[in-house]
Amino acid sequence: MPQYAVLIYSPAPADPMELTPDYVALLEQYPAKVTELGGQILTGFALQPSTTAAAVRGDLVTDGPFIEAKEVVAGFFVLEAPDRETALKIAKLNPATIHGGVEVRPLFIAPTE
């Protein structure tokens, strides 16, 4: 089954310690919705706030995320879904779409010879 990276974007600094109880309740319901649509979350991680990030460009290291933006990457997970359309349906149900958004990208599989 195809696998997708789902990147979660939230308003900066995207501090997971500031999630409201209502939002946490939505997050807890999400895996069941994923399963109902035929998908499976293989692994996922929440990130520390963007204020803890460091960006590296060549020899230069700067504090903060790689790109300055109102929304930052707050987490990601790997989703297994039957097809892209299902992966997008699953992404649309993610609570992050309420105040931020998600990005769905197929994982690259190196061609075999």
Side-chain angles (χ1 to χ4, degrees):
M1 194 174 329
Q3 295 180 345
Y4 303 87
V6 180
L7 308 172
I8 309 296
Y9 289 87
S10 295
D15 187 343
M17 297 304 291
E18 295 182 357
L19 297 177
T20 67
D22 289 343
Y23 190 87
V24 171
L26 292 173
L27 287 174
E28 290 172 350
Q29 298 166 11
Y30 188 61
K33 293 177 182 179
V34 171
T35 301
E36 285 177 21
L37 289 172
Q40 181 181 5
I41 296 173
L42 300 179
T43 189
F45 299 92
L47 301 176
Q48 292 286 330
S50 61
T51 53
T52 65
V56 180
R57 292 178 173 93
D59 292 336
L60 180 64
V61 177
T62 57
D63 290 335
F66 194 78
I67 297 173
E68 296 288 334
K70 288 192 262 182
E71 295 172 334
V72 295
V73 178
F76 60 92
F77 60 90
V78 176
L79 170 68
E80 196 170 66
D83 51 46
R84 181 178 186 269
E85 289 70 32
T86 303
L88 293 174
K89 285 179 186 174
I90 290 169
K92 286 179 183 177
L93 296 175
N94 190 288
T97 61
I98 297 170
H99 299 293
V102 300
E103 178 177 326
V104 178
R105 258 196 235 188
L107 294 185
F108 175 73
I109 307 295
T112 56
E113 294 183 42

